[in-house]
Amino acid sequence: MKMWSGRFRQRLDPEFERWQRSFPLDRRLLGHELEASRAHARALQRAGILLAEELASILFGLDQIAERAAAPSFLEDDEAEDVHHFVEKQLVSTIGDTGYKLHSGRSRNEQIATDLRLYARASIDQLQELIADWMEILVTRAERAGNAVMPAYTHLQRAEPVLVAHWLLAYVEMSGRDTERLADCRKRANLCPLGSGAVAGATLALDREAIAHDLGFDRPTVNSMDATGDRDFAIELVNALSLLSTHLSRWAEEMILFSTPEFGFIQLPEAYSTGSSALPQKKNPDLLELTRAKAARVIGDATALQIGVKGLPLAYNKDLQETQEPLFDASETLLALLPLVSGWMKAVDFDYPRMQAAAQSGFMNAWAAATYLVERGVPFRLAHEQVGKAVQRCLDKGCELEELSLNELKELNPAFDQDFYSRLTLPAVLAIHDVVGGTAPAQVKQAIAEAKQKIAALRGVAHAHA
Ligand code: ARG
């Protein structure tokens, strides 16, 4: 039986009927739908609508459905319009007409809003754990890199040497912001729409505080029109995920570059690469390429969601059914992707000697050279110009700054002295970046310790939510 057929004289066009169903998508919400239905049933009993034995029978029926759902074929139903209809059908076929009492005083509009919030909350909690794993592997690799050095790039041109650990910690920082955004999003998602009815609030005296508490929500939503028409929580989550996937995409792009023989900084792990059917020598960075492409997809989800909502009058409109897919797609894309990027990061080999060699040429000590002059009272702009001239001379001669003679240097500025050469070595160049957030080894050591604390705090929150 349909949930709404009473006032209709004609049958639905069969093609339209199939096309407007959401069950193929929202059947993944079954667990949340059952949980929310249990809470609603208990509230109905407290409000005097269900007898104790009716409640017991409904709860039994809902448990039966949960059990049967373990078999995937159970969810094949060509008639169910959506997950709400499916549960009603199953409940009635299990316990008889008492099953129809469950829908007293509630609307699918509040149910879908509730299920999607439960889904968003569960996704956030799983994602936080996976991001913590990802951050942890980055920090472990940073620690293992010790004082290994590599070039840092600006404009993709060699700029200055940095510790490999410093570079890896940059990604930890991005991911840390992602976790903050998700935690923030969770706060607003974790409110309970049940009791909002179709648009104006339930018509029965339901204890909304109790329902919210039953489902682990912080409290009920405030306004029934807002609650049934709102998808901000989904928009926020998917936008947070689009930024998370953007970070992973930048990481993937950098790894692809570094794996080319032109850079040669990393060896692609075979377990995460594939070959070419034509070119026998090939080892391709498939995981990284797909990571880059998944970002496009998630950004698309965020865009589709927000554009879908922007023109809607209050409150529920069927357009909102279309917010399901981008929410599911973005969440599930990242839930699948994060363990893979962590696995990749665990497996990759860094070629430290090559990284170090690359960090030692290309005048990456030029800023340090100018700083030497600044410390001797030379105005920076002039020091910059003079070191620039020294670089020019090196380019003509085909050498590095430290290979110029003291006489050549003194021609540019008499302030150059013998101690200048010790300031151009790799360790000296790293050491002068001794500020919070800089690449001096002591600073990086401190940054590693702080990153570990951040991850531990994240695990603590995850534990509290579990
Ligand atoms: N399947 C619907 C959705 O996802 C549930 C709400 C339907 N409400 C309605 N009045 N037709 O949005």
Short mmCIF file of all heavy atoms in Angstrom, two decimals, residues 141 150 153 164 167-168 251-270 273 283 285 287-288 344-345 347-356 358:
data_model
loop_
_atom_site.label_atom_id
_atom_site.label_comp_id
_atom_site.label_asym_id
_atom_site.label_seq_id
_atom_site.Cartn_x
_atom_site.Cartn_y
_atom_site.Cartn_z
N ARG A 141 56.23 9.26 9.01
CA ARG A 141 57.21 9.42 7.92
C ARG A 141 58.10 10.63 8.16
O ARG A 141 59.29 10.62 7.85
CB ARG A 141 56.50 9.56 6.55
CG ARG A 141 55.68 8.38 6.09
CD ARG A 141 56.42 7.06 5.95
NE ARG A 141 57.70 7.07 5.30
CZ ARG A 141 58.02 6.43 4.17
NH1 ARG A 141 57.09 5.76 3.52
NH2 ARG A 141 59.23 6.45 3.69
N MET A 150 65.43 18.42 1.34
CA MET A 150 64.94 18.45 -0.04
C MET A 150 64.76 19.91 -0.46
O MET A 150 64.76 20.80 0.39
CB MET A 150 63.59 17.73 -0.13
CG MET A 150 62.49 18.47 0.60
SD MET A 150 60.93 17.57 0.67
CE MET A 150 60.37 17.76 -1.01
N TYR A 153 59.88 24.44 -3.24
CA TYR A 153 59.67 25.15 -4.50
C TYR A 153 58.71 26.32 -4.32
O TYR A 153 57.76 26.23 -3.55
CB TYR A 153 59.07 24.20 -5.55
CG TYR A 153 59.98 23.03 -5.85
CD1 TYR A 153 60.01 21.91 -5.01
CD2 TYR A 153 60.84 23.08 -6.94
CE1 TYR A 153 60.87 20.87 -5.27
CE2 TYR A 153 61.70 22.03 -7.20
CZ TYR A 153 61.72 20.92 -6.36
OH TYR A 153 62.57 19.89 -6.62
N VAL A 164 62.74 17.29 4.87
CA VAL A 164 61.65 16.47 4.32
C VAL A 164 60.50 16.43 5.34
O VAL A 164 59.31 16.51 4.99
CB VAL A 164 62.17 15.04 4.02
CG1 VAL A 164 61.03 14.11 3.66
CG2 VAL A 164 63.21 15.10 2.90
N TRP A 167 58.25 19.45 5.08
CA TRP A 167 57.34 19.32 3.93
C TRP A 167 56.16 18.42 4.27
O TRP A 167 55.00 18.75 4.03
CB TRP A 167 58.16 18.76 2.75
CG TRP A 167 57.39 18.22 1.59
CD1 TRP A 167 56.54 18.92 0.78
CD2 TRP A 167 57.41 16.88 1.11
NE1 TRP A 167 56.02 18.08 -0.18
CE2 TRP A 167 56.55 16.83 -0.01
CE3 TRP A 167 58.07 15.72 1.50
CZ2 TRP A 167 56.33 15.65 -0.73
CZ3 TRP A 167 57.87 14.56 0.77
CH2 TRP A 167 57.00 14.53 -0.32
N LEU A 168 56.43 17.28 4.88
CA LEU A 168 55.34 16.34 5.21
C LEU A 168 54.39 16.96 6.23
O LEU A 168 53.17 16.75 6.16
CB LEU A 168 55.92 15.03 5.74
CG LEU A 168 56.67 14.21 4.70
CD1 LEU A 168 57.42 13.05 5.36
CD2 LEU A 168 55.71 13.67 3.63
N TRP A 251 48.33 16.96 -2.83
CA TRP A 251 49.33 15.99 -2.39
C TRP A 251 49.61 15.01 -3.52
O TRP A 251 50.77 14.73 -3.85
CB TRP A 251 48.79 15.27 -1.14
CG TRP A 251 49.53 14.03 -0.78
CD1 TRP A 251 50.69 13.93 -0.07
CD2 TRP A 251 49.15 12.68 -1.13
NE1 TRP A 251 51.06 12.61 0.05
CE2 TRP A 251 50.14 11.83 -0.59
CE3 TRP A 251 48.08 12.13 -1.83
CZ2 TRP A 251 50.09 10.45 -0.74
CZ3 TRP A 251 48.03 10.75 -1.99
CH2 TRP A 251 49.02 9.93 -1.43
N ALA A 252 48.54 14.51 -4.14
CA ALA A 252 48.70 13.52 -5.21
C ALA A 252 49.49 14.11 -6.37
O ALA A 252 50.39 13.46 -6.92
CB ALA A 252 47.32 13.05 -5.69
N GLU A 253 49.17 15.33 -6.73
CA GLU A 253 49.86 15.97 -7.85
C GLU A 253 51.35 16.10 -7.54
O GLU A 253 52.20 15.85 -8.40
CB GLU A 253 49.23 17.36 -8.09
CG GLU A 253 49.99 18.25 -9.06
CD GLU A 253 50.09 17.68 -10.47
OE1 GLU A 253 49.39 16.71 -10.78
OE2 GLU A 253 50.90 18.20 -11.25
N GLU A 254 51.66 16.49 -6.30
CA GLU A 254 53.06 16.65 -5.93
C GLU A 254 53.79 15.31 -5.98
O GLU A 254 54.93 15.21 -6.44
CB GLU A 254 53.15 17.29 -4.54
CG GLU A 254 54.50 17.89 -4.29
CD GLU A 254 54.51 18.85 -3.12
OE1 GLU A 254 53.91 18.56 -2.07
OE2 GLU A 254 55.14 19.91 -3.26
N MET A 255 53.11 14.26 -5.50
CA MET A 255 53.73 12.94 -5.51
C MET A 255 53.96 12.45 -6.94
O MET A 255 54.95 11.79 -7.22
CB MET A 255 52.85 11.95 -4.75
CG MET A 255 52.76 12.24 -3.28
SD MET A 255 54.38 12.12 -2.49
CE MET A 255 54.02 12.89 -0.94
N ILE A 256 53.01 12.75 -7.81
CA ILE A 256 53.18 12.34 -9.22
C ILE A 256 54.42 13.01 -9.80
O ILE A 256 55.27 12.37 -10.42
CB ILE A 256 51.92 12.70 -10.05
CG1 ILE A 256 50.74 11.83 -9.62
CG2 ILE A 256 52.20 12.52 -11.55
CD1 ILE A 256 49.40 12.23 -10.22
N LEU A 257 54.53 14.31 -9.55
CA LEU A 257 55.72 15.03 -10.05
C LEU A 257 57.00 14.43 -9.48
O LEU A 257 57.96 14.18 -10.21
CB LEU A 257 55.65 16.50 -9.60
CG LEU A 257 54.80 17.45 -10.43
CD1 LEU A 257 54.75 18.81 -9.74
CD2 LEU A 257 55.39 17.60 -11.82
N PHE A 258 57.00 14.20 -8.16
CA PHE A 258 58.22 13.73 -7.51
C PHE A 258 58.58 12.31 -7.92
O PHE A 258 59.71 11.87 -7.73
CB PHE A 258 58.08 13.83 -5.98
CG PHE A 258 58.12 15.24 -5.46
CD1 PHE A 258 57.91 15.51 -4.11
CD2 PHE A 258 58.38 16.32 -6.31
CE1 PHE A 258 57.95 16.81 -3.62
CE2 PHE A 258 58.42 17.62 -5.83
CZ PHE A 258 58.21 17.87 -4.48
N SER A 259 57.60 11.57 -8.47
CA SER A 259 57.90 10.19 -8.88
C SER A 259 58.48 10.13 -10.30
O SER A 259 58.96 9.09 -10.72
CB SER A 259 56.62 9.35 -8.83
OG SER A 259 55.76 9.69 -9.92
N THR A 260 58.45 11.24 -11.03
CA THR A 260 59.01 11.21 -12.38
C THR A 260 60.53 11.13 -12.29
O THR A 260 61.12 11.63 -11.33
CB THR A 260 58.65 12.48 -13.18
OG1 THR A 260 59.19 13.61 -12.47
CG2 THR A 260 57.15 12.65 -13.30
N PRO A 261 61.18 10.51 -13.28
CA PRO A 261 62.64 10.48 -13.23
C PRO A 261 63.24 11.88 -13.24
O PRO A 261 64.36 12.09 -12.76
CB PRO A 261 63.04 9.68 -14.47
CG PRO A 261 61.80 9.37 -15.20
CD PRO A 261 60.62 9.81 -14.42
N GLU A 262 62.49 12.85 -13.76
CA GLU A 262 63.00 14.23 -13.78
C GLU A 262 63.26 14.71 -12.35
O GLU A 262 64.23 15.40 -12.08
CB GLU A 262 62.01 15.15 -14.49
CG GLU A 262 62.01 15.01 -16.02
CD GLU A 262 61.35 13.75 -16.55
OE1 GLU A 262 60.76 12.98 -15.75
OE2 GLU A 262 61.43 13.51 -17.77
N PHE A 263 62.36 14.36 -11.42
CA PHE A 263 62.61 14.67 -10.00
C PHE A 263 63.33 13.51 -9.34
O PHE A 263 64.37 13.69 -8.72
CB PHE A 263 61.29 14.94 -9.27
CG PHE A 263 60.74 16.32 -9.47
CD1 PHE A 263 59.92 16.62 -10.54
CD2 PHE A 263 61.05 17.34 -8.57
CE1 PHE A 263 59.42 17.90 -10.72
CE2 PHE A 263 60.55 18.62 -8.74
CZ PHE A 263 59.72 18.91 -9.81
N GLY A 264 62.71 12.32 -9.44
CA GLY A 264 63.31 11.13 -8.84
C GLY A 264 63.38 11.14 -7.33
O GLY A 264 64.28 10.54 -6.75
N PHE A 265 62.45 11.81 -6.68
CA PHE A 265 62.49 11.88 -5.21
C PHE A 265 61.83 10.68 -4.54
O PHE A 265 62.11 10.39 -3.39
CB PHE A 265 61.78 13.14 -4.70
CG PHE A 265 62.48 14.43 -5.04
CD1 PHE A 265 61.88 15.65 -4.76
CD2 PHE A 265 63.75 14.43 -5.62
CE1 PHE A 265 62.52 16.84 -5.07
CE2 PHE A 265 64.40 15.62 -5.93
CZ PHE A 265 63.78 16.83 -5.66
N ILE A 266 60.89 10.04 -5.26
CA ILE A 266 60.20 8.91 -4.64
C ILE A 266 60.10 7.75 -5.63
O ILE A 266 60.12 7.94 -6.84
CB ILE A 266 58.77 9.29 -4.16
CG1 ILE A 266 57.90 9.71 -5.34
CG2 ILE A 266 58.79 10.39 -3.12
CD1 ILE A 266 56.46 9.95 -4.93
N GLN A 267 59.99 6.56 -5.06
CA GLN A 267 59.74 5.34 -5.84
C GLN A 267 58.29 4.97 -5.66
O GLN A 267 57.85 4.72 -4.53
CB GLN A 267 60.60 4.20 -5.29
CG GLN A 267 62.05 4.23 -5.73
CD GLN A 267 62.20 4.00 -7.23
OE1 GLN A 267 61.36 3.34 -7.84
NE2 GLN A 267 63.25 4.57 -7.81
N LEU A 268 57.52 4.89 -6.74
CA LEU A 268 56.11 4.52 -6.62
C LEU A 268 55.99 3.12 -6.03
O LEU A 268 56.65 2.19 -6.52
CB LEU A 268 55.44 4.54 -7.99
CG LEU A 268 55.24 5.91 -8.63
CD1 LEU A 268 54.70 5.74 -10.04
CD2 LEU A 268 54.30 6.77 -7.80
N PRO A 269 55.16 2.94 -5.02
CA PRO A 269 54.97 1.60 -4.47
C PRO A 269 54.22 0.71 -5.49
O PRO A 269 53.18 1.11 -6.01
CB PRO A 269 54.12 1.82 -3.22
CG PRO A 269 53.64 3.23 -3.26
CD PRO A 269 54.37 3.97 -4.33
N GLU A 270 54.77 -0.45 -5.75
CA GLU A 270 54.16 -1.32 -6.76
C GLU A 270 52.75 -1.73 -6.39
O GLU A 270 51.89 -1.91 -7.24
CB GLU A 270 55.03 -2.56 -7.00
CG GLU A 270 56.33 -2.20 -7.70
CD GLU A 270 57.02 -3.41 -8.31
OE1 GLU A 270 56.45 -4.52 -8.27
OE2 GLU A 270 58.15 -3.23 -8.80
N SER A 273 50.32 0.75 -7.87
CA SER A 273 50.55 1.27 -9.21
C SER A 273 50.10 0.21 -10.21
O SER A 273 49.93 -0.95 -9.85
CB SER A 273 52.04 1.57 -9.42
OG SER A 273 52.51 2.40 -8.38
N LYS A 283 55.31 1.98 -15.09
CA LYS A 283 54.70 1.84 -13.77
C LYS A 283 53.99 3.16 -13.53
O LYS A 283 54.62 4.21 -13.43
CB LYS A 283 55.76 1.58 -12.70
CG LYS A 283 55.16 1.43 -11.31
CD LYS A 283 56.17 0.92 -10.26
CE LYS A 283 57.27 1.90 -10.01
NZ LYS A 283 58.04 1.65 -8.78
N PRO A 285 51.20 5.92 -11.77
CA PRO A 285 50.75 6.31 -10.42
C PRO A 285 49.23 6.37 -10.28
O PRO A 285 48.67 7.39 -9.89
CB PRO A 285 51.37 7.71 -10.26
CG PRO A 285 51.38 8.27 -11.64
CD PRO A 285 51.61 7.10 -12.57
N LEU A 287 46.88 5.36 -8.25
CA LEU A 287 46.20 5.79 -7.03
C LEU A 287 46.22 7.31 -6.93
O LEU A 287 45.22 7.95 -6.59
CB LEU A 287 46.86 5.18 -5.79
CG LEU A 287 46.20 5.63 -4.49
CD1 LEU A 287 45.97 4.48 -3.55
CD2 LEU A 287 46.96 6.74 -3.79
N LEU A 288 47.37 7.88 -7.28
CA LEU A 288 47.51 9.33 -7.18
C LEU A 288 46.63 10.04 -8.21
O LEU A 288 45.99 11.05 -7.92
CB LEU A 288 48.97 9.72 -7.37
CG LEU A 288 49.95 9.09 -6.37
CD1 LEU A 288 51.38 9.31 -6.82
CD2 LEU A 288 49.74 9.63 -4.97
N TRP A 344 49.23 4.07 0.79
CA TRP A 344 50.24 4.50 -0.18
C TRP A 344 51.41 5.18 0.54
O TRP A 344 52.58 4.91 0.28
CB TRP A 344 49.60 5.47 -1.18
CG TRP A 344 50.45 5.81 -2.37
CD1 TRP A 344 50.39 5.24 -3.59
CD2 TRP A 344 51.49 6.80 -2.43
NE1 TRP A 344 51.33 5.81 -4.42
CE2 TRP A 344 52.02 6.77 -3.73
CE3 TRP A 344 52.02 7.70 -1.50
CZ2 TRP A 344 53.05 7.61 -4.14
CZ3 TRP A 344 53.06 8.53 -1.90
CH2 TRP A 344 53.56 8.48 -3.21
N MET A 345 51.03 6.07 1.47
CA MET A 345 52.05 6.86 2.17
C MET A 345 52.94 5.97 3.03
O MET A 345 54.12 6.25 3.22
CB MET A 345 51.33 7.90 3.04
CG MET A 345 52.17 9.08 3.43
SD MET A 345 52.64 10.02 1.96
CE MET A 345 54.16 10.71 2.55
N ALA A 347 53.71 2.95 2.22
CA ALA A 347 54.50 2.08 1.34
C ALA A 347 55.56 2.81 0.52
O ALA A 347 56.49 2.19 0.04
CB ALA A 347 53.55 1.32 0.41
N VAL A 348 55.42 4.12 0.36
CA VAL A 348 56.30 4.82 -0.58
C VAL A 348 57.75 4.87 -0.06
O VAL A 348 57.98 4.93 1.15
CB VAL A 348 55.77 6.25 -0.85
CG1 VAL A 348 55.92 7.13 0.37
CG2 VAL A 348 56.48 6.87 -2.06
N ASP A 349 58.69 4.82 -1.00
CA ASP A 349 60.11 4.97 -0.64
C ASP A 349 60.60 6.35 -1.07
O ASP A 349 60.38 6.76 -2.21
CB ASP A 349 60.95 3.92 -1.38
CG ASP A 349 60.94 2.60 -0.67
OD1 ASP A 349 60.89 2.62 0.59
OD2 ASP A 349 60.98 1.55 -1.34
N PHE A 350 61.26 7.04 -0.17
CA PHE A 350 61.87 8.33 -0.51
C PHE A 350 63.33 8.09 -0.90
O PHE A 350 64.02 7.30 -0.25
CB PHE A 350 61.85 9.29 0.68
CG PHE A 350 60.46 9.72 1.09
CD1 PHE A 350 60.02 9.56 2.39
CD2 PHE A 350 59.60 10.30 0.17
CE1 PHE A 350 58.75 9.95 2.77
CE2 PHE A 350 58.33 10.70 0.55
CZ PHE A 350 57.90 10.52 1.84
N ASP A 351 63.77 8.76 -1.93
CA ASP A 351 65.19 8.68 -2.32
C ASP A 351 65.91 9.87 -1.69
O ASP A 351 66.11 10.91 -2.32
CB ASP A 351 65.29 8.70 -3.85
CG ASP A 351 66.71 8.38 -4.33
OD1 ASP A 351 67.66 8.59 -3.54
OD2 ASP A 351 66.86 7.94 -5.48
N TYR A 352 66.31 9.69 -0.44
CA TYR A 352 66.92 10.82 0.30
C TYR A 352 68.19 11.36 -0.36
O TYR A 352 68.35 12.59 -0.42
CB TYR A 352 67.20 10.42 1.75
CG TYR A 352 65.96 10.15 2.57
CD1 TYR A 352 65.83 8.96 3.30
CD2 TYR A 352 64.92 11.07 2.63
CE1 TYR A 352 64.69 8.70 4.05
CE2 TYR A 352 63.78 10.82 3.38
CZ TYR A 352 63.68 9.63 4.09
OH TYR A 352 62.56 9.38 4.83
N PRO A 353 69.08 10.50 -0.86
CA PRO A 353 70.29 11.05 -1.48
C PRO A 353 69.96 11.98 -2.66
O PRO A 353 70.56 13.04 -2.82
CB PRO A 353 71.06 9.81 -1.96
CG PRO A 353 70.59 8.70 -1.07
CD PRO A 353 69.15 9.03 -0.76
N ARG A 354 68.97 11.57 -3.45
CA ARG A 354 68.59 12.43 -4.59
C ARG A 354 67.96 13.74 -4.13
O ARG A 354 68.19 14.80 -4.71
CB ARG A 354 67.62 11.68 -5.50
CG ARG A 354 68.26 11.31 -6.83
CD ARG A 354 67.22 10.91 -7.81
NE ARG A 354 66.83 12.05 -8.65
CZ ARG A 354 67.11 12.16 -9.93
NH1 ARG A 354 67.81 11.21 -10.53
NH2 ARG A 354 66.71 13.20 -10.62
N MET A 355 67.15 13.64 -3.11
CA MET A 355 66.52 14.85 -2.58
C MET A 355 67.59 15.81 -2.05
O MET A 355 67.56 17.01 -2.29
CB MET A 355 65.54 14.49 -1.44
CG MET A 355 64.27 13.82 -1.92
SD MET A 355 63.35 13.13 -0.51
CE MET A 355 61.71 13.70 -0.86
N GLN A 356 68.53 15.22 -1.33
CA GLN A 356 69.62 16.01 -0.75
C GLN A 356 70.45 16.67 -1.85
O GLN A 356 70.78 17.86 -1.78
CB GLN A 356 70.50 15.09 0.11
CG GLN A 356 71.83 15.66 0.50
CD GLN A 356 71.90 15.97 2.00
OE1 GLN A 356 70.94 15.70 2.73
NE2 GLN A 356 73.00 16.52 2.45
N ALA A 358 69.52 17.43 -4.81
CA ALA A 358 68.74 18.49 -5.44
C ALA A 358 68.69 19.74 -4.58
O ALA A 358 68.53 20.86 -5.07
CB ALA A 358 67.32 17.99 -5.73
#
